[in-house]
Amino acid sequence: MAMKRIGVFICHCGRNIAGTVDVKRVAEEIGKREDVAFSTTYVFMCSQPGQKLIEDSIKEYNLDGVVVANCSPTLHERTMRNAAARAGLNPYRVEIANIREWAAWPHEDNPEAATRKAIRIINATIEKLKANASLEPLEVPVIRRALVIGGGVAGIQAALDLADAGIETVMVEREPSIGGNMFRLSETFPTLDCPQCILTPKMNDVGGHPNIKLYTYSEIEDVSGFMGNFKVKIKKKATFVDWDKCTGCGECLRVCPVSVKSEYDLGMKDRTSIYIVNEQAVPLKALIDQDSCIRLKFEKKVQEGKIKPKKNVKICSKCADVCEPEAIHFKNNEEIVEEEVGTIVVATGYEVMPAEAFPELGGKYPDVITALQFERLLSPSGPTAGVPRRPSDGKIPKSIAFVHCVGSRDPQNGVPYCSRICCMYTIKQAMLVKHALPDTAVYDFYIDIRSNGKGYEEFYHRAKEEYGVNFIRGKVSKVYKVGDKYRVQGVDTLTGRIVEVDVDMVILATAAKGSEGVKELAKKLRIPYDEWGWLKEVHLKLKPLDTPVGGVFIAGAAQFIKDITDSVAQGSGAAAKSLGLLSKPQLEKEPLLARVDTEICAGCGRCKDQCAYGAITIDPIRHVSVVNEALCEGCGACSANCPTTAIQVVNFKKGQIIRAVDILAEVF
Amino acid sequence: MSNDMLKKFIVDAFEKGLIEAVMAPAATKDSYTYALITKKEDVDKITPIAPVMQWNGADMLRRITKLKKSERKLLAILRPCESRTYKELVKFNQINPENIIVLSYDCPGTIHARNFKYEPVEPENLVEEIKNGGKSEKIRDACKVCEYPAPIPGVGDIGLGLVNTDPVFFSLSDKGKEFLGAMGITEGERDADAWVEEHRKRREEWMEKERITGGRKGIEEFLSSCLNCHNCKDMCPICFCKECFFEDHNVFDYESNKFYNWADDKDGIRLPTDRSLFHIGRLIHMGTSCIGCGLCQQACPMDIPLYRLFGIVGNDLQKVFNYKPGVDDNLPPVMEFREDELHEFEGLLGGEE
Amino acid sequence: MELKKIMFYPGCTLKGVAKNLEDSTVESARVLGYDFIELPGWTCCGAVYGLAQDSVKFTIANVRNLIRAQEYAEKIRDNRLVAVCSMCYNNLRRAHLDVMKNRDKLQTLDLFMDEEPDYKGEINVQHYLTFLKEEGFDKIAENVKKPLKGLKVAPYYGCLLLRPDEVAIDDREDPHILEELLEILGAEVVDYPLKNECCGSYHTVDKKEFVAERTFKLVSVAKEVGADIITTSCPLCFFNLDKRQEIAKKKHSGFEHMPIVYFTQLMAIAFGINDDKVLHFEQHYVSPREVLSRWL
Amino acid sequence: MMKYTIKEDPHNDERVREIMEISGENIFACYQCGRCSSGCPMAEFMDVLPNQVFMFLQEGDVDTLLSARTPWVCAACFTCTVRCPVGLDLAAVMEALRELQLRKNYDYVDPYRVENREELPPIALVSNFRKFTP
């Protein structure tokens, strides 16, 4: 039934609205409407007295609908709906007319226009409100288990916090060991802690925690279900080794004749075909890389019919021969397992752009490497035991140039944003070079030094004052090889001179991006991401860990590149968010969802193809669309694409919208 | 005689147990409609290649199979435009193709249903004209400028060649190949390329010439005699909605003041207000899938040459999305989301340059 | 074999001091089965493209050339217009893209040249290298009679084949198309880091010392990376790198001359053409004859 | 000269605006990374580095630029343009600086005094005169 006794509450928002819009006149004009029983203004509707005013008016005037004209609904819609509910009015009979962002702010220079526009916005909102239905929130049950995707430091923290709170937690990591990028680092800024020392205890906690079920070398295959009730398919990739039997003794590594670039060492070191990621891996298990193993390659070719095996030919099985527990079986043990969880924390981390992406900076030369690769050369547990050597010839470099902002702050050729961590790690790396090789000259080409963290600026000054790092302000434009040296062609923008220097190695602080494959994962989870592979939060300031999909949270560098401090904090934050949901026996869900008018639905499936949440199916018998209410997020994409508007979002029906638009679109 | 020969083919198929029903045109007093026949004795009642297309056959198949797949093996005789419609409607979940065999043929074109009523033509006369690669002058505009007058591989199952040859069968799909094999028919060939090319050339010239110009005013003038009867929509096979958005009068009901305000602002308005909105709205809904059968134009009681609107704008839209309805295997643009497309239109609305 | 007709835009310089470029281009194309027909009625491209937003003067001549090409394209049923001079290529292509992006500009020009038909935007301006690549490099391989085995070549692109981005014939920072071609000709390509750096261009007219400095750097680095010869496609780059060695030598005592050739000359030589009327070595300041003697 | 007094907001400076109009570039987008200068093949012959050109403009000091050699040393090779992280076309800004003077009928080069004109390729002469004469 259309509402007849509507109350309109116009907020001054201090001077934000009232400074431009003539709120008194608006209240008067709106008050003339037949369907408006009461209209008034107040200085801050969101304040306690403001809310009280709404509550009292609902009772006094027996209002059947409320329009609050104030700021964006993302800020105070919930506040106003709660106030109405306290006064006994169904909260879905409250609508917000955004006259601050839509009228007052954009028309500051024209108060008359702003006032008229405010009136019109409120009129349109009233028209929309009049056909609103009263709704009750939906209730959904909760499975008290959590999933953490990604075993870097953020994921580890989230999993430990959840598990310690008594929640059974599943962790999925695609690498054979947890630890993530942090485990690759040499030392951390600004404290110069050894990450291997501070992270291994946490990794071991994860490995041995009774509440944590760890799947490494595994990937998410499929996610279905909804907040509180997710079903997740996990693919355990083939290891060709029985991990129940493997003791991680490492005998097999000693006999394997194959040598390939190590992923963990980012190509700075070789590993064998059967390998354990590193000595501190969790779990400490061996696995075979099927692309390089002689035996597996041979078997694959036989299977494909490319070669015919001769009789009595002995194919390499050296690793299996020395394996005492007989764990190595060469059998493809890929398997899909299913887990049910109530919440998901996505902590997929980052990667950096490869040096090869910057040919002008010499990315194709072996001694021009990314900073992340250089971390391995600086790490005491790395291939050069912490004393950097040139990858090309193993020589100790007499001079090294660092280049900041490679691909970062460069919307034309890379990414538009600042990669945030590079300034500090470059300074750290410069210091570590000086530690290891005091006689090596270090040139640091920067644009701006960004040291905005606790102890960061002090750290920068130490590099300048105590360590003798040469800082040159200006971007390098070209690096090329001349003889045995690399010529760095730069500029000093402060003295205004072109600067050239020949060095032995060049380290590029390349831009960070979301991890490879994160877009595919995000599609499975139906959460948004940007073009650089960062997962999008709901609100940068106020909901940095939330995604639009209820029950799915993001943490650490999955959201945007950040340092260890922030990643750990977000890991804990996402765990707390999950706990909040999992501590309730039932979850409430917003009832503003799509509904199908089966009388007119033609079952064409256009809505189904548009639904980002997989909430729509076609009923095979009735041949009409059906909405799964638990999955639907009420976004309205289905409705916009339905030729006959058989599917519509409750309280956003076509009549409501068209009427509102009609008013807004009238000639001004 | 092609019709007799087709009928014999159908009877054969019944006898061999390859089909249990056939859907094809049959003569009525003044026209031809589709008939569904389940016995071989009734085959005589049909005229597989009829000179009139009163309804789109794919629309009839939609009625038969929308709720549930065809329970019997059904042979449908469809013109190339109808078999394209068939393929398009399968994508929209409106036809279940299971158990259906579609046969289409080199189409001589059809005569406007009203003209036919007053000046009937023998079906075979039309076929005779294409045997030598020509085509009758009497056929409808849409047929004259048809882009696909001949069966298209991948659209439907069996093709019947009539141009420049005695009738030959050939397969359009694996299903059709199997069917012809079971019938014991050797696949034949014929050269219709020049004949098809002629249509396409005519089409290009026609589109250039008949395009409605003059912007909004031009379209208003073009539609000026429209009665708002919505016949064009009723006959359109792509308009499969149970209830048209534009027939929901609740949405377009306004208080009188609204009308007066509009009239004030615009120095008078035309009533009813939703007439061109209807046509433009319909274009948006079906334009990318318009097959070009031209039935909208045949249905217009005011003889508005609607094919000039829907056919040409539809064709333009399809070019924009690089989509050929009823021919391409991919989904129609309205059903598919692509991250990367239509960059050429970026900035046209005054956004970033 | 009947030759396929292709529109060719020579440009002014090829008609004078760069006969070596013109003749080797036309002859190498002939070997591959193309008849390069000089675009009837072509006019000067203007050499540099105007960068001022409010100016159309640099665009007119190019659009007029494109209109000429448009007329002729219909005759030979091929809308490709091939240029080999980098400056001509750059100008024609930029003019085409400029007016396609900027329809108002095109309209102004069409109005201005009301005696000409309107430009429809269908001319595909290609550099000879792109043309060859599109037609398939394997065709070239089939015609190599004297592989340039052992000749160490530094490929030099200069600016205008690679910049700005919209006209680039390959990756602007690490192009490979010329390398690919040279390898097919059998030459040994050296990794020349300065292959996309500027030669100093038109400053050769009033500031030749600057250009000589550039030449000194470009040639010295080519020598350092082991090249015997530098190859290019631009007559201005050619002139600067070749002729300005004279001043470079005067200023830098240790400087050694290095011959400069057009890639089309190398193509012609590899195809077995050893005719001075095609190669025109007399137009070189530093003669390449000695370096190339093994193949002549 | 090591002191410069800003007299009015450079955003309102007429000549800065004119340069922005002719070049079509928002010179205020430059954030002084310096890549234009480090990559510039002619930088060693300039008196004002390419990145400094932007800073002078951002400070409204067009006079210094009009008396500088830099715009006449630029070879329009576009190395700066393609590498600029914010997509500024510095080559066009240099052209605008030249245009400011050329449009007042200023000849930077006198065609009749060019040495050895006959040996120079036509494109060298044409491009030089197009850049350096009105």
Side-chain angles (χ1 to χ4, degrees):
Chain A
M1 273 326 299
M3 297 164 201
K4 282 184 241 161
R5 305 189 51 76
I6 294 168
V8 180
F9 299 87
I10 297 143
C11 180
H12 298 195
C13 197
R15 301 242 342 127
N16 271 315
I17 294 172
T20 307
V21 172
D22 182 349
V23 287
K24 288 274 173 297
R25 192 175 124 208
V26 175
E28 269 165 38
E29 282 288 324
I30 297 294
K32 288 181 194 157
R33 288 179 64 115
E34 283 174 23
D35 44 13
V36 169
F38 175 70
S39 77
T40 189
T41 73
Y42 187 71
V43 61
F44 282 114
M45 280 296 168
C46 58
S47 67
Q48 295 230 329
Q51 294 181 47
K52 185 84 173 29
L53 172 69
I54 295 173
E55 286 175 52
D56 292 347
S57 309
I58 291 172
K59 288 180 196 147
E60 192 182 337
Y61 296 95
N62 191 22
L63 302 177
D64 58 3
V66 164
V67 168
V68 185
N70 54 344
C71 49
S72 160
T74 54
L75 287 175
H76 282 302
E77 188 180 69
R78 177 92 355 242
T79 318
M80 302 306 166
R81 287 192 165 159
N82 288 344
R86 286 197 294 276
L89 182 69
N90 185 289
Y92 296 94
R93 289 179 162 242
V94 176
E95 286 290 343
I96 301 292
N98 181 2
I99 61 168
R100 189 178 75 178
E101 279 89 331
W102 290 0
W105 283 353
H107 304 293
E108 248 172 344
D109 53 340
N110 190 346
E112 170 60 23
T115 304
R116 279 191 292 146
K117 190 170 174 188
I119 293 171
R120 190 186 292 211
I121 291 167
I122 296 169
N123 274 327
T125 312
I126 292 173
E127 286 299 335
K128 191 229 166 232
L129 168 76
K130 275 162 78 179
N132 268 15
S134 293
L135 304 171
E136 296 301 331
L138 298 166
E139 291 203 327
V140 279
V142 185
I143 297 167
R144 295 197 73 235
R145 297 179 88 228
L147 167 70
V148 175
I149 304 172
V153 65
I156 287 173
Q157 187 63 41
L160 287 176
D161 286 354
L162 281 161
D164 286 346
I167 302 292
E168 208 178 299
T169 303
V170 180
M171 174 179 268
V172 175
E173 165 59 49
R174 69 173 167 192
E175 299 297 327
S177 166
I178 59 171
N181 273 329
M182 177 174 168
F183 208 68
R184 292 195 166 98
L185 306 184
S186 50
E187 282 175 22
T188 65
F189 60 80
T191 48
L192 297 182
D193 285 312
C194 144
Q196 287 75 21
C197 318
I198 59 174
L199 193 57
T200 32
K202 280 180 183 285
M203 287 161 64
N204 289 327
D205 283 354
V206 169
H209 205 295
N211 274 342
I212 296 181
K213 200 165 170 185
L214 181 59
Y215 293 104
T216 59
Y217 208 51
S218 299
E219 282 179 36
I220 303 294
E221 184 78 2
D222 182 51
V223 181
S224 60
F226 44 89
M227 175 164 68
N229 300 271
F230 292 106
K231 277 199 179 65
V232 185
K233 283 192 185 139
I234 300 161
K235 180 167 88 182
K236 294 170 73 179
K237 294 183 274 190
T239 56
F240 305 92
V241 176
D242 185 343
W243 280 11
D244 290 335
K245 290 186 187 157
C246 175
T247 59
C249 67
E251 281 303 318
C252 49
L253 278 58
R254 275 184 268 282
V255 295
C256 180
V258 182
S259 167
V260 288
K261 294 262 178 246
S262 152
E263 297 86 355
Y264 168 67
D265 286 303
L266 300 165
M268 293 290 104
K269 189 185 173 184
D270 288 349
R271 63 158 169 82
T272 42
S273 185
I274 185 165
Y275 67 109
I276 298 175
V277 176
N278 58 52
E279 290 86 19
Q280 289 140 304
V282 173
L284 190 70
K285 303 286 177 190
L287 69 155
I288 305 180
D289 159 20
Q290 56 178 322
D291 295 329
S292 64
C293 169
I294 298 170
R295 186 189 182 96
L296 291 176
K297 278 202 304 198
F298 176 78
E299 282 174 3
K300 195 173 168 208
K301 275 188 185 158
V302 171
Q303 225 171 28
E304 288 169 351
K306 281 183 188 154
I307 40 173
K308 276 187 192 151
K310 286 179 204 148
K311 271 181 196 164
N312 301 328
V313 84
K314 173 125 173 65
I315 299 300
C316 177
S317 64
K318 287 184 178 167
C319 51
D321 297 344
V322 298
C323 182
E324 258 176 53
E326 297 182 344
I328 303 169
H329 52 50
F330 297 114
K331 284 194 197 90
N332 188 329
N333 54 350
E334 181 180 305
E335 109 182 88
I336 305 268
V337 291
E338 228 179 277
E339 294 283 354
E340 292 192 355
V341 295
T343 63
I344 299 174
V345 174
V346 190
T348 42
Y350 70 96
E351 62 182 27
V352 297
M353 288 176 79
E356 291 75 26
F358 304 94
E360 71 274 26
L361 297 181
K364 63 181 167 187
Y365 303 119
D367 299 325
V368 179
I369 58 174
T370 68
L372 203 54
Q373 288 173 316
F374 197 49
E375 289 287 347
R376 295 308 303 143
L377 299 188
L378 288 171
S379 171
S381 63
T384 56
V387 180
R389 287 169 179 277
R390 303 215 306 186
S392 62
D393 53 13
K395 275 191 202 154
I396 298 273
K398 287 271 162 237
S399 54
I400 297 181
F402 288 91
V403 184
H404 288 236
C405 297
V406 177
S408 299
R409 308 176 70 191
D410 188 348
Q412 294 295 313
N413 309 288
V415 303
Y417 48 82
C418 161
S419 288
R420 228 182 144 195
I421 54 172
C422 330
C423 279
M424 294 313 295
Y425 72 58
T426 304
I427 292 169
K428 172 200 75 185
Q429 292 188 344
M431 278 184 173
L432 294 180
V433 169
K434 284 292 195 181
H435 266 298
L437 306 166
D439 294 333
T440 296
V442 176
Y443 305 96
D444 188 307
F445 289 89
Y446 71 99
I447 306 177
D448 300 297
I449 293 290
R450 297 193 165 164
S451 53
N452 53 354
K454 195 173 183 178
Y456 290 8
E457 181 69 9
E458 296 88 321
F459 189 69
Y460 167 42
H461 285 285
R462 270 172 67 198
K464 270 180 99 86
E465 294 160 19
E466 293 171 27
Y467 285 82
V469 179
N470 300 297
F471 286 91
I472 300 163
R473 194 205 172 282
K475 177 83 195 211
V476 171
S477 202
K478 197 169 179 87
V479 173
Y480 59 95
K481 198 168 178 198
V482 180
D484 194 32
K485 294 263 187 187
Y486 296 93
R487 184 164 297 161
V488 179
Q489 193 178 304
V491 63
D492 173 1
T493 61
L494 298 177
T495 58
R497 283 183 304 196
I498 300 300
V499 175
E500 258 187 8
V501 59
D502 288 355
V503 295
D504 293 326
M505 265 183 100
V506 180
I507 313 301
L508 306 179
T510 55
K513 288 180 161 185
S515 290
E516 195 205 332
V518 76
K519 291 181 181 177
E520 284 65 41
L521 176 67
K523 279 178 194 157
K524 287 174 191 161
L525 289 160
R526 303 191 173 88
I527 57 176
Y529 52 86
D530 65 21
E531 59 181 291
W532 306 285
W534 305 116
L535 300 174
K536 273 193 186 156
E537 64 293 315
V538 169
H539 191 284
L540 190 58
K541 296 285 163 205
L542 299 176
K543 291 188 172 180
L545 307 173
D546 295 63
T547 71
V549 178
V552 178
F553 304 102
I554 50 179
Q559 182 246 358
F560 187 67
I561 183 68
K562 50 178 68 73
D563 62 19
I564 295 165
T565 315
D566 290 354
S567 294
V568 171
Q570 282 208 338
S572 285
K577 281 270 180 188
S578 288
L579 284 169
L581 281 183
L582 298 177
S583 62
K584 293 179 193 161
Q586 298 264 306
L587 294 176
E588 279 196 355
K589 187 167 188 279
E590 185 90 76
L592 291 169
L593 309 173
R595 280 201 193 140
V596 180
D597 183 343
T598 52
E599 295 277 306
I600 57 173
C601 172
C604 70
R606 276 167 69 162
C607 50
K608 176 172 160 266
D609 292 309
Q610 296 299 320
C611 182
Y613 305 95
I616 302 177
T617 46
I618 305 287
D619 182 326
I621 295 173
R622 291 184 299 156
H623 202 77
V624 292
S625 291
V626 180
V627 177
N628 179 334
E629 293 197 327
L631 286 176
C632 174
E633 291 287 339
C635 72
C638 50
S639 181
N641 202 38
C642 177
T644 161
T645 56
I647 189 163
Q648 299 190 59
V649 176
V650 179
N651 286 359
F652 287 92
K653 294 205 165 189
K654 59 179 165 179
Q656 292 180 287
I657 300 297
I658 288 180
R659 245 166 241 124
V661 170
D662 266 336
I663 292 174
L664 292 170
E666 263 168 28
V667 177
F668 207 56
Chain B
M1 299 291 272
S2 339
N3 265 312
D4 293 341
M5 176 243 154
L6 250 181
K7 283 196 231 174
K8 195 178 155 296
F9 173 89
I10 295 166
V11 173
D12 261 12
F14 265 116
E15 280 171 354
K16 291 206 163 82
L18 291 170
I19 58 168
E20 294 161 306
V22 62
M23 190 194 89
T28 59
K29 178 172 167 289
D30 290 328
S31 184
Y32 288 84
T33 61
Y34 274 94
L36 183 66
I37 281 168
T38 54
K39 303 187 204 70
K40 69 174 180 190
E41 294 75 29
D42 294 331
V43 170
D44 246 355
K45 295 177 185 167
I46 59 172
T47 312
I49 304 180
V52 179
M53 172 158 75
Q54 198 151 325
W55 280 282
N56 188 307
D59 200 19
M60 302 300 122
L61 277 180
R62 178 175 77 85
R63 286 161 208 248
I64 299 173
T65 69
K66 185 184 150 177
L67 285 184
K68 207 163 185 193
K69 68 169 193 195
S70 169
E71 297 284 6
R72 302 193 197 173
K73 283 182 254 174
L74 173 65
L75 172 70
I77 315 285
L78 298 180
R79 296 178 179 82
C81 59
E82 292 168 314
S83 43
R84 279 187 291 127
T85 314
Y86 165 81
K87 182 160 180 168
E88 194 69 2
L89 287 179
V90 169
K91 294 180 194 170
F92 281 113
N93 226 359
Q94 299 298 308
I95 292 178
N96 186 331
E98 214 177 308
N99 255 347
I100 298 180
I101 285 275
V102 169
L103 183 149
S104 72
Y105 48 85
D106 287 340
C107 178
T110 60
I111 294 169
H112 193 293
R114 180 156 8 98
N115 295 352
F116 181 83
K117 182 173 171 179
Y118 298 113
E119 213 183 309
V121 173
E122 280 303 310
E124 286 305 318
N125 290 354
L126 286 184
V127 180
E128 274 310 307
E129 295 196 46
I130 68 165
K131 267 201 172 155
N132 306 317
K135 212 160 184 181
S136 171
E137 268 310 302
K138 292 178 181 168
I139 57 172
R140 297 183 299 129
D141 288 357
C143 299
K144 279 183 199 147
V145 299
C146 179
E147 190 178 358
Y148 295 98
I152 312 148
V155 184
D157 307 297
I158 302 168
L160 170 61
L162 300 170
V163 174
N164 294 330
T165 176
D166 286 330
V168 284
F169 287 102
F170 45 89
S171 62
L172 303 172
S173 70
D174 292 346
K175 212 155 93 173
K177 196 172 207 77
E178 209 176 294
F179 192 96
L180 288 177
M183 288 284 287
I185 292 175
T186 340
E187 297 198 22
E189 273 180 26
R190 55 96 180 76
D191 181 14
D193 288 354
W195 182 70
V196 172
E197 202 41 55
E198 201 180 301
H199 281 78
R200 294 190 177 163
K201 220 178 140 209
R202 203 153 47 214
R203 178 184 178 81
E204 254 174 49
E205 284 162 13
W206 180 83
M207 291 219 169
E208 207 46 55
K209 202 172 92 216
E210 299 288 317
R211 189 178 295 279
I212 301 162
T213 53
R216 200 158 134 184
K217 186 154 172 282
I219 205 153
E220 287 290 345
E221 280 171 8
F222 177 77
L223 293 169
S224 63
S225 62
C226 172
L227 303 174
N228 227 13
C229 72
H230 291 192
N231 260 4
C232 46
K233 175 214 76 189
D234 289 343
M235 293 310 298
C236 177
I238 300 299
C239 269
F240 50 75
C241 288
K242 281 190 210 161
E243 184 187 285
C244 179
F245 182 86
F246 292 96
E247 271 156 23
D248 182 349
H249 290 287
N250 279 326
V251 176
F252 300 106
D253 276 353
Y254 297 105
E255 292 157 9
S256 61
N257 234 345
K258 193 92 197 171
F259 290 95
Y260 295 128
N261 285 344
W262 283 333
D264 285 348
D265 289 341
K266 297 184 176 171
D267 305 328
I269 47 165
R270 247 178 253 283
L271 296 170
T273 49
D274 57 351
R275 198 184 57 188
S276 13
L277 185 68
F278 164 73
H279 289 288
I280 293 166
R282 200 172 92 76
L283 249 178
I284 292 168
H285 283 185
M286 49 62 71
T288 49
S289 286
C290 175
I291 298 293
C293 66
L295 288 191
C296 44
Q297 179 161 337
Q298 179 172 283
C300 182
M302 295 306 287
D303 284 333
I304 302 173
L306 282 169
Y307 187 58
R308 284 178 57 199
L309 178 62
F310 295 109
I312 298 179
V313 178
N315 191 68
D316 288 354
L317 268 176
Q318 291 153 18
K319 259 196 205 157
V320 165
F321 290 100
N322 198 10
Y323 176 72
K324 290 257 181 226
V327 178
D328 290 356
D329 286 329
N330 43 339
L331 282 175
V334 290
M335 299 184 90
E336 199 177 32
F337 176 75
R338 286 190 206 153
E339 259 179 85
D340 200 40
E341 67 176 359
L342 297 184
H343 296 302
E344 60 269 39
F345 296 101
E346 283 169 5
L348 281 187
L349 297 174
E352 225 183 308
E353 274 195 280
Chain C
M1 181 177 64
E2 203 190 323
L3 297 176
K4 183 165 169 38
K5 288 189 166 62
I6 297 291
M7 283 189 286
F8 176 57
Y9 180 93
C12 341
T13 306
L14 272 66
K15 290 289 162 193
V17 298
K19 278 311 272 181
N20 44 359
L21 177 54
E22 177 174 31
D23 291 346
S24 57
T25 301
V26 173
E27 286 311 310
S28 62
R30 189 179 303 282
V31 172
L32 297 170
Y34 307 103
D35 182 6
F36 271 21
I37 300 176
E38 202 168 312
L39 176 66
W42 64 271
T43 56
C44 171
C45 70
V48 281
Y49 201 70
L51 303 173
Q53 293 291 303
D54 52 358
S55 157
V56 291
K57 65 180 174 190
F58 294 91
T59 321
I60 297 179
N62 290 305
V63 172
R64 182 171 279 138
N65 281 323
L66 291 170
I67 292 171
R68 295 270 180 281
Q70 172 174 292
E71 285 164 356
Y72 202 67
E74 264 183 40
K75 255 189 221 165
I76 59 165
R77 298 201 150 264
D78 196 321
N79 68 342
R80 290 175 293 184
L81 176 62
V82 177
V84 69
C85 163
S86 304
M87 278 190 149
C88 301
Y89 160 75
N90 189 284
N91 268 285
L92 290 165
R93 180 115 185 112
R94 286 189 81 177
H96 164 80
L97 294 172
D98 190 7
V99 295
M100 282 301 99
K101 211 164 76 184
N102 202 338
R103 297 298 172 112
D104 291 347
K105 199 168 189 175
L106 179 59
Q107 218 166 12
T108 315
L109 290 171
D110 280 338
L111 282 174
F112 183 80
M113 294 185 281
D114 55 356
E115 76 286 2
E116 307 262 5
D118 292 352
Y119 179 51
K120 294 197 203 111
E122 279 156 13
I123 293 302
N124 181 4
V125 179
Q126 287 190 332
H127 186 260
Y128 189 34
L129 276 169
T130 321
F131 171 81
L132 291 172
K133 172 120 193 186
E134 194 183 279
E135 292 283 302
F137 274 169
D138 37 351
K139 235 180 188 173
I140 297 173
E142 287 162 20
N143 285 292
V144 172
K145 294 209 180 77
K146 287 187 179 168
L148 305 175
K149 219 164 167 349
L151 180 67
K152 291 181 182 152
V153 187
Y156 178 70
Y157 293 81
C159 312
L160 298 170
L161 295 185
L162 302 172
R163 292 185 291 268
D165 281 342
E166 63 262 30
V167 299
I169 63 167
D170 200 352
D171 185 302
R172 65 164 143 86
E173 298 296 356
D174 195 17
H176 277 107
I177 183 165
L178 196 47
E179 279 89 331
E180 257 177 76
L181 174 73
L182 292 169
E183 268 163 23
I184 285 170
L185 299 180
E188 191 179 314
V189 182
V190 301
D191 179 9
Y192 184 43
L194 304 186
K195 60 188 172 187
N196 58 349
E197 287 222 346
C198 180
C199 67
S201 189
Y202 45 74
H203 292 301
T204 202
V205 175
D206 63 313
K207 301 182 222 31
K208 44 188 166 201
E209 294 72 26
F210 291 0
V211 174
E213 276 308 300
R214 293 300 303 159
T215 300
F216 171 68
K217 182 169 180 184
L218 291 168
V219 173
S220 317
V221 171
K223 185 131 275 171
E224 274 178 59
V225 295
D228 302 329
I229 198 163
I230 298 176
T231 186
T232 177
S233 92
C234 174
L236 187 48
C237 297
F238 173 88
F239 177 83
N240 286 348
L241 289 181
D242 182 48
K243 176 74 179 164
R244 291 297 174 237
Q245 290 190 30
E246 188 181 2
I247 305 175
K249 175 92 186 160
K250 275 183 202 150
K251 279 194 143 177
H252 303 273
S253 52
F255 179 76
E256 283 173 50
H257 284 313
M258 181 184 286
I260 316 295
V261 287
Y262 292 111
F263 73 94
T264 50
Q265 289 175 301
L266 292 182
M267 259 169 87
I269 293 169
F271 290 166
I273 299 173
N274 178 15
D275 182 349
D276 246 2
K277 283 192 186 114
V278 174
L279 300 174
H280 295 284
F281 285 154
E282 78 279 2
Q283 289 191 327
H284 295 238
Y285 172 74
V286 181
S287 172
R289 201 172 285 281
E290 196 191 319
V291 173
L292 294 174
S293 57
R294 282 160 60 196
W295 299 277
L296 291 171
Chain D
M1 276 206 294
M2 298 309 268
K3 186 184 170 187
Y4 172 67
T5 311
I6 298 178
K7 296 204 181 80
E8 67 163 337
D9 182 349
H11 282 84
N12 294 331
D13 187 284
E14 235 172 74
R15 285 182 303 175
V16 173
R17 283 188 178 183
E18 202 179 341
I19 286 164
M20 284 168 61
E21 238 163 69
I22 297 176
S23 65
E25 298 299 313
N26 177 7
I27 56 104
F28 293 101
C30 169
Y31 72 89
Q32 290 295 325
C33 75
R35 205 172 344 172
C36 44
S37 299
S38 57
C40 178
M42 304 304 283
E44 54 188 293
F45 312 117
M46 290 177 173
D47 49 357
V48 174
L49 282 185
N51 69 289
Q52 292 174 319
V53 168
F54 281 109
M55 209 56 228
F56 277 111
L57 288 172
Q58 287 179 2
E59 287 166 2
D61 184 3
V62 180
D63 285 330
T64 300
L65 295 175
L66 290 184
S67 57
R69 191 165 57 168
T70 291
W72 308 98
V73 174
C74 163
C77 74
F78 302 107
T79 308
C80 50
T81 300
V82 295
R83 286 190 186 150
C84 176
V86 287
L88 281 169
D89 187 351
L90 177 50
V93 175
M94 294 288 198
E95 180 115 329
L97 283 165
R98 290 190 295 268
E99 286 283 310
L100 273 194
Q101 281 157 289
L102 296 174
R103 287 179 187 188
K104 290 183 181 139
N105 243 350
Y106 169 79
D107 276 300
Y108 180 78
V109 165
D110 181 351
Y112 297 101
R113 295 195 174 184
V114 171
E115 298 166 26
N116 306 349
R117 241 189 331 176
E118 59 299 332
E119 72 169 26
L120 289 162
I123 38 174
L125 294 165
V126 173
S127 49
N128 188 284
F129 299 160
R130 284 205 135 178
K131 289 286 181 195
F132 295 153
T133 61

